């Protein structure tokens, strides 16, 4: 079975497809490779135009990495089923936070998608189907659209990742609007993601933090959730922390949210949370740690959601993938017959790295990049325009900001006249 780390029947007795639990090969050690030799001339530059050695990649395309938004789809299902708008906002906030949870200890760089590259994921067990396309190469823009199989939600957006190297760290700012629509409630929520930063690029232990402000807006009720992903701080006491408030349309605080994006998110009334924060500033560092633990166990606090699949601890040898990420590039004969020729799973460089052949991965990566450059030069000489298949540019229907919207038709399975990008 191509690209599968396990053997045998892929269907369980209950009829649900059995997904793989391992990759064909463990990741390569990067201990003897100097990142500085590659990045020393790139300080302050935008890294999407820099060719990186394949040793620094993980065997997924950025389109597949985006699909990890859907790892905690149960939160969206829970949102749609709720009859209370504040509870729905709590679930949406937990979903937004959980989207970055899988990046914990994920220090490998996903492959840059080729122009026209696509990725689909149909998970009837989780209740959704997803399609994405690389709609622009310079600047790199990835558009995606997911929908509930029961038509209970639509989740879509376009991401323009800005990557910069600052000497000791790489900063990734995922620009773009994310939209969640709930037809049963005639509601739409929009937000943007926090900034991700990978530290100790040159030497030392790599570690990741998320920081910045995220505002989630319910465009029907006017309610907002304002979250702050806290930077690590001098002594690391704020590492992974996220906190904020849900406000009604008059900006009155309804409830507080707090927790860690690597663990879970809690809700509590604003007065209790404010009292805790006020008393916390008066404690010593030793007492403060105890106070934090108390807050997490406070009888007035309610756990909204666990934000991370702790199963990733078993997969450190596989690029620190969660079990969900581990399944994104699996490919069997039935899938291969149905997929368009532009799907990420068919990329030979990603497949070679997953199979542990780093020389073949490097050679294929160089070949594909050169093929893409040659095709772009040919189009410029012939005035041929690139045709985007599944998305089109337009204003976001709720914010008016520039966006890429799903055109439709992908699941009709008519893939004639698709480009040969591999």
């Amino acid at each position: 079975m191509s690209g599968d780390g396990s053997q045998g029947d892929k269907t369980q007795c209950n009829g649900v497809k059995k997904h793989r639990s391992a990759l064909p090969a463990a990741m390569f050690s990067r201990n003897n490779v100097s990142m500085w030799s590659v990045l020393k001339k790139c300080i302050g530059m935008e890294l999407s135009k820099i060719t990186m050695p394949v040793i620094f990649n993980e065997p997924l395309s950025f389109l597949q990495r985006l699909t990890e938004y859907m790892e905690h789809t149960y939160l969206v299902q829970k949102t749609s089923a709720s009859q209370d708008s504040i509870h729905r906002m709590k679930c949406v906030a937990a979903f937004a936070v959980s989207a970055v949870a899988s990046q914990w200890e994920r220090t490998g760089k996903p492959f840059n998608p080729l122009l026209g590259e696509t990725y689909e994921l149909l998970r009837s067990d989780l209740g959704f189907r997803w399609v994405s396309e690389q709609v622009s190469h310079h600047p790199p823009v990835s558009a995606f659209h997911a929908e509930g199989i029961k038509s209970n939600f639509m989740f879509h957006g376009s991401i323009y990742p800005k990557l910069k190297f600052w000497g000791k760290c790489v900063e990734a700012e995922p620009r773009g609007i994310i939209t969640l629509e709930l037809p049963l409630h005639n509601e739409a929520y929009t937000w943007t993601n926090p900034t991700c930063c990978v530290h100790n690029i040159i030497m030392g232990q790599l570690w990741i933090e998320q920081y910045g402000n995220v505002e989630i807006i319910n465009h029907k009720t006017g309610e907002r959730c304002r979250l702050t992903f806290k930077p690590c701080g001098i002594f690391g006491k704020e590492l992974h922390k996220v906190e904020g408030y849900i406000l009604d349309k008059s900006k009155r605080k309804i409830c507080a949210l707090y927790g860690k994006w690597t663990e879970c998110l809690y809700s509590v009334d604003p007065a209790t949370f404010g009292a805790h924060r006020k008393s916390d500033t008066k404690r010593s560092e030793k007492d403060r740690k105890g106070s934090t633990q108390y807050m997490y166990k406070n009888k007035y606090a309610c756990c909204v959601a666990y934000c991370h699949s702790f199963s990733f601890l078993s997969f450190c040898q596989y690029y620190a993938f969660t079990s969900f990420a581990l399944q994104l590039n699996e490919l069997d004969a039935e899938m291969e017959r149905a997929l368009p020729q532009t799907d990420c799973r068919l990329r030979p460089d990603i497949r070679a790295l997953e199979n542990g052949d780093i020389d073949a991965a490097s050679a294929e990566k160089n070949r594909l990049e050169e093929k893409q450059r040659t095709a772009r030069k040919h189009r410029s000489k012939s005035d041929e325009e690139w045709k985007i298949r599944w998305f089109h540019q337009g204003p976001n229907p709720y914010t008016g900001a520039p966006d890429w919207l799903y055109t439709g038709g992908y699941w009709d399975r008519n893939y004639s006249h698709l480009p040969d990008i591999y």
Side-chain angles (χ1 to χ4, degrees):
M1 185 169 294
S2 176
D4 186 23
S6 57
Q7 303 294 325
D9 187 5
K10 298 296 289 182
T11 304
Q12 300 181 51
C13 59
N14 60 5
V16 176
K17 181 177 179 179
K18 182 179 179 181
H19 295 278
R20 67 182 182 182
S21 58
L23 296 182
M27 67 179 290
F28 291 91
S29 172
R30 303 184 181 114
N31 294 338
N32 298 323
V33 183
S34 172
M35 179 74 83
W36 178 243
S37 63
V38 179
L39 295 177
K40 60 185 178 182
K41 297 181 180 179
C42 306
I43 295 177
M45 293 178 62
E46 211 282 300
L47 291 185
S48 64
K49 299 180 181 180
I50 306 300
T51 299
M52 301 288 288
V54 76
I55 188 68
F56 297 117
N57 285 99
E58 62 179 21
L60 291 175
S61 167
F62 183 71
L63 293 183
Q64 292 167 307
R65 185 78 172 258
L66 277 179
T67 312
E68 292 180 58
Y69 279 128
M70 307 305 292
E71 180 161 3
H72 299 276
T73 311
Y74 79 93
L75 289 167
V76 179
Q77 311 285 7
K78 190 176 179 181
T79 304
S80 180
S82 175
Q83 298 303 309
D84 179 75
S85 66
I86 298 300
H87 183 255
R88 289 196 295 273
M89 180 62 86
K90 290 179 183 179
C91 293
V92 174
F95 179 66
V97 172
S98 74
V100 302
S102 65
Q103 296 180 27
W104 188 20
E105 299 199 0
R106 289 278 290 281
T107 55
K109 178 183 179 297
F111 283 73
N112 293 334
L114 302 169
L115 182 61
E117 186 174 312
T118 61
Y119 182 70
E120 71 166 68
L121 187 63
L122 175 58
R123 290 292 298 261
S124 56
D125 56 328
L126 299 178
F128 76 87
R129 62 183 186 180
W130 164 290
V131 61
S132 55
E133 179 180 7
Q134 191 69 8
V135 294
S136 174
H137 184 60
H138 288 308
V141 180
S142 306
F144 65 88
H145 179 91
E147 54 195 37
I149 291 176
K150 297 180 179 180
S151 301
N152 56 339
F153 74 87
M154 288 188 294
F155 178 61
H156 54 90
S158 52
I159 302 295
Y160 169 20
K162 291 283 289 185
L163 302 176
K164 283 193 175 182
F165 175 54
W166 296 111
K168 294 183 180 180
C169 65
V170 171
E171 188 178 72
E173 182 186 352
R175 298 181 180 180
I177 300 169
I178 297 170
T179 303
L180 174 65
E181 299 183 43
L182 303 177
L184 295 178
H185 303 283
N186 194 29
E187 287 182 343
Y189 301 78
T190 60
W191 68 91
T192 57
N193 281 326
T195 296
C196 177
C197 189
V198 182
H199 293 272
N200 293 342
I201 291 295
I202 306 304
M203 59 184 300
Q205 180 68 37
L206 292 172
W207 61 279
I208 292 175
E209 69 172 331
Q210 307 274 350
Y211 48 76
N213 298 319
V214 172
E215 183 174 61
I216 305 168
I217 302 173
N218 183 329
H219 290 270
K220 178 182 178 181
T221 66
E223 294 158 349
R224 297 168 184 257
C225 178
R226 292 175 177 167
L227 296 172
T228 297
F229 287 73
K230 294 197 167 187
C232 174
I234 298 176
F235 301 107
K237 65 183 180 68
E238 303 293 333
L239 182 61
H240 301 156
K241 286 186 179 181
V242 56
E243 63 183 42
Y245 294 94
I246 293 176
L247 303 93
D248 64 17
K249 62 181 180 181
S250 62
K251 299 184 180 180
R252 181 173 62 93
K253 294 177 181 178
I254 302 299
C255 73
L257 298 176
Y258 70 96
K260 292 187 176 183
W261 57 265
T262 54
E263 296 177 7
C264 53
L265 195 65
Y266 295 87
S267 68
V268 71
D269 69 89
T272 301
F273 185 66
H276 167 77
R277 292 186 65 184
K278 187 175 181 180
S279 63
D280 195 41
T281 60
K282 300 178 181 179
R283 299 175 187 266
S284 66
E285 183 63 28
K286 181 178 179 180
D287 290 338
R288 189 175 300 164
K289 291 180 180 178
S291 175
T292 301
Q293 291 299 319
Y294 169 78
M295 188 62 190
Y296 275 75
K297 299 177 181 178
N298 190 296
K299 65 180 180 180
Y300 299 109
C302 173
C303 180
V304 178
Y306 291 97
C307 300
H308 193 68
S309 295
F310 287 99
S311 56
F312 97 100
L313 293 171
S314 302
F315 302 129
C316 290
Q317 62 178 325
Y318 301 129
Y319 305 87
F321 284 174
T322 64
S323 57
F324 183 85
L326 202 68
Q327 301 158 8
L328 291 175
N329 202 46
E330 61 183 348
L331 178 66
D332 58 36
E334 182 180 358
M335 291 169 63
E336 195 164 3
R337 287 192 294 270
L339 292 174
Q341 65 189 39
T342 52
D343 194 276
C344 302
R345 297 176 183 87
L346 305 178
R347 273 188 67 159
D349 51 353
I350 295 177
R351 186 62 61 189
L353 182 61
E354 180 182 280
N355 290 331
D357 191 339
I358 196 165
D359 291 333
S362 181
E364 286 295 335
K365 180 173 178 286
N366 292 335
R367 181 185 67 81
L368 291 176
E369 289 171 349
E370 182 58 34
K371 182 175 182 176
Q372 183 170 235
R373 284 190 288 268
T374 300
R376 187 168 62 248
K377 289 179 181 178
H378 174 75
R379 288 195 301 273
S380 65
K381 292 179 180 179
S382 63
D383 294 325
E384 178 185 352
E385 292 188 5
W386 177 262
K387 181 180 179 181
I388 299 164
R389 268 66 185 180
W390 312 114
F391 293 84
H392 63 275
Q393 281 186 297
N396 183 282
Y398 306 101
T399 68
D403 204 351
W404 287 84
L405 308 173
Y406 180 51
T407 301
Y410 178 87
W411 300 103
D412 295 339
R413 298 295 186 192
N414 179 11
Y415 302 137
S416 60
H417 308 299
L418 288 179
D420 175 16
I421 60 175
Y422 302 146

